[in-house]
């Protein structure tokens, strides 16, 4: 990197939730200085600050430290408001959301961007950041370069995406991650009602996730819908009497699989 794009060495983290915690820890581990943690609630803020040897600051106005980057990792609904309170002028400010546009930060600073790690984070669940794709966006090529460099410190996959592309990616993450997870919940619920251990499904779940590593996932689709086995599907729908929502989900997804198959034929 040329001198016109000096490296990001000092960061301020705003927020102390799931994402802020994992990102701060990953950066700290790679010797990026987290100089300050700002958070609404003192306890969470102080705890994170201690873990990364940073100073905790209550409130958001007048962020005291000089930093190369301000990372806003608060809930999506609070991004615009908190960004406005920071009182930055041209200091580099990014948010970490999959579904909020970069434009949301445009009144808060003249140097803005997005640093979105595509994974689901829970504070107490360790993650291996190097395997998590980081999608970045910046308002100038120089800022983009800085985020690429920072991202590459902690992840082996960093790629620029526009706000629109990132929103599509986020939408698909809801299908691939959140919805799949709810399918497991349905399975667990039904098994529990019949006193059958959920663990019996684990090898199948693992194998399904494994198959999704390949391109053209649909070519590996199995089950009654892809076989258009209406006898089994009717039987399953009947078994779901009393579970109206599960019945609707079963019916809708089965129809969707059959439609997708006819489109591909
Ligand atoms: N978790 C993930 O899996 C994940 C993945 C990728 C991207 N992200 C993005 O990361 C960002 C943070 O998400 P998260 O999951 O880490 O959220 P979280 O665990 O719920 O933490 C939310 C953080 O935002 C603060 N906050 C919430 N409302 C606020 C308000 N009105 N004013 C000031 N501070 C407020 C909270 O402060 P208090 O401690 O005071 O409540 C807390 O520090 C979001 O933009 C999200 O889209 C999350």
């Amino acid at each position: 990197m040329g001198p016109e794009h000096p490296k990001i060495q000092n960061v301020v983290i705003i927020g102390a939730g799931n994402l802020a915690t994992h990102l701060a820890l990953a950066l700290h581990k790679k010797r990026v200085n987290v100089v300050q943690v700002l958070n609404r609630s003192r306890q969470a803020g102080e705890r994170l600050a201690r873990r990364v040897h940073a100073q905790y600051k209550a409130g958001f106005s007048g962020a005291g430290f000089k930093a190369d980057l301000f990372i806003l990792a608060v809930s999506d609904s609070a991004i615009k408001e908190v960004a406005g309170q920071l009182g930055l002028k041209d200091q580099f400010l990014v948010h970490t959301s999959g579904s909020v546009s970069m434009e949301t930060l445009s009144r808060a600073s003249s140097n803005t961007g997005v640093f979105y790690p595509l994974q689901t984070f829970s504070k107490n669940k360790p993650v291996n950041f190097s395997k998590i794709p980081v999608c970045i966006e910046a308002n100038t090529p120089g800022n983009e370069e800085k985020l690429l460099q920072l991202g590459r410190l902690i992840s082996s996959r960093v790629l620029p995406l526009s706000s629109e592309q990132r929103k599509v990616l986020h939408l698909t993450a809801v299908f691939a991650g959140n919805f799949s997870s709810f399918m497991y919940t349905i399975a667990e619920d039904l098994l529990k009602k019949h006193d059958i251990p959920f663990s019996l499904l684990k090898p199948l779940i693992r194998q399904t996730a494994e198959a999704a590593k390949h391109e053209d996932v649909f070519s590996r689709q199995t089950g009654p819908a892809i076989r258009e086995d209406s006898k089994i599907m009717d039987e399953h729908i009947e078994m779901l009497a009393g579970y109206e929502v599960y019945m609707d989900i079963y019916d809708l997804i089965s129809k969707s699989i059959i439609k997708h198959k006819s489109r591909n034929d």
Side-chain angles (χ1 to χ4, degrees):
M1 185 189 287
E4 70 276 25
H5 303 312
K7 235 172 45 183
I8 288 169
Q9 281 167 328
N10 300 306
V11 301
V12 168
I13 304 270
I14 302 118
N18 294 311
L19 192 273
T21 299
H22 283 292
L23 186 54
L25 289 172
L27 292 171
H28 175 67
K29 211 168 148 190
K30 292 292 174 185
R31 298 178 185 281
V32 174
N33 293 326
V34 180
V35 287
Q36 211 174 31
V37 172
L38 275 55
N39 195 48
R40 181 179 57 178
S41 316
R42 172 174 287 273
Q43 202 182 13
E46 280 184 343
R47 182 158 186 271
L48 178 57
R50 256 196 318 275
R51 293 179 77 182
V52 295
H53 305 156
Q55 190 195 71
Y56 166 70
K57 182 177 177 296
F60 304 109
S61 58
F65 269 89
K66 275 199 176 163
D68 306 315
L69 182 67
F70 289 76
I71 303 176
L72 190 51
V74 297
S75 308
D76 289 359
S77 57
I79 288 176
K80 194 168 188 175
E81 190 192 329
V82 177
Q85 290 171 20
L86 290 169
L88 307 176
K89 288 191 184 84
D90 55 1
Q91 289 115 310
F92 194 6
L93 173 69
V94 296
H95 72 62
T96 58
S97 169
S99 52
V100 175
S101 71
M102 180 172 68
E103 174 64 24
T104 308
L105 302 178
S106 64
R107 282 166 166 255
S109 173
S110 54
N111 287 299
T112 55
V114 179
F115 194 89
Y116 168 56
L118 178 62
Q119 182 52 287
T120 165
F121 296 95
S122 300
K123 248 186 221 188
N124 302 319
K125 207 166 162 269
V127 295
N128 178 359
F129 231 106
S130 68
K131 295 216 152 92
I132 298 173
V134 176
C135 308
I136 58 139
E137 185 181 5
N139 71 337
T140 68
N143 287 337
E144 181 178 299
E145 186 56 35
K146 285 181 186 175
L147 292 183
L148 278 173
Q149 294 281 336
L150 186 74
R152 284 179 190 138
L153 276 182
I154 57 172
S155 166
S156 55
R157 183 120 200 243
V158 189
L159 74 161
L161 285 188
S162 69
S163 286
E164 245 164 60
Q165 287 174 311
R166 195 176 59 257
K167 277 187 190 172
V168 173
L169 182 67
H170 185 243
L171 165 70
T172 63
V174 171
F175 275 104
N178 306 148
F179 287 175
S180 312
S181 171
F182 189 67
M183 295 296 136
Y184 303 150
T185 300
I186 295 178
E188 190 180 22
D189 187 28
L190 293 171
L191 287 168
K192 247 190 209 148
K193 298 241 162 60
H194 293 86
D195 214 14
I196 307 167
F198 178 63
S199 59
L200 290 179
L201 286 183
K202 287 194 177 161
L204 174 74
I205 291 173
R206 233 174 265 128
Q207 176 117 334
T208 310
E210 200 59 36
K213 282 184 179 168
H214 305 274
E215 300 286 313
D216 189 15
V217 185
F218 193 68
S219 66
R220 288 157 205 264
Q221 183 73 45
T222 58
I226 194 90
R227 296 195 304 272
E228 298 191 61
D229 187 338
S230 46
K231 188 170 169 289
I232 297 280
M233 285 190 281
D234 290 347
E235 212 172 282
H236 284 170
I237 296 262
E238 240 172 70
M239 287 167 73
L240 289 170
Y243 303 94
E244 299 306 315
V245 177
Y246 295 171
M247 198 188 268
D248 287 349
I249 290 174
Y250 187 103
D251 191 44
L252 201 63
I253 293 186
S254 298
K255 282 182 179 144
S256 195
I257 291 172
I258 293 167
K259 208 167 167 187
H260 199 89
K261 183 185 170 193
S262 71
R263 251 194 274 142
N264 283 14
D265 276 347

